[in-house]
Amino acid sequence: MAGITRKTKRYPSDLTDEEWERIAPLMPPANRRGRK
């Protein structure tokens, strides 16, 4: 991920679409409880 350049950076925690694609499989599934 070090080779990815950001065109705009609003916050240090901002991720590019490519970065999200890389970490998406590591994210837990969404919680489906609560009001619709």
Side-chain angles (χ1 to χ4, degrees):
M1 280 195 240
I4 299 171
T5 58
R6 294 184 174 142
K7 293 178 184 175
T8 61
K9 184 176 172 185
R10 295 181 182 158
Y11 299 100
S13 59
D14 283 354
L15 297 176
T16 62
D17 290 339
E18 184 179 344
E19 290 170 326
W20 272 116
E21 288 174 14
R22 290 182 181 193
I23 66 168
L26 305 174
M27 302 294 286
N31 190 354
R32 299 291 179 194
R33 291 193 263 176
R35 187 182 287 190
K36 292 184 178 181

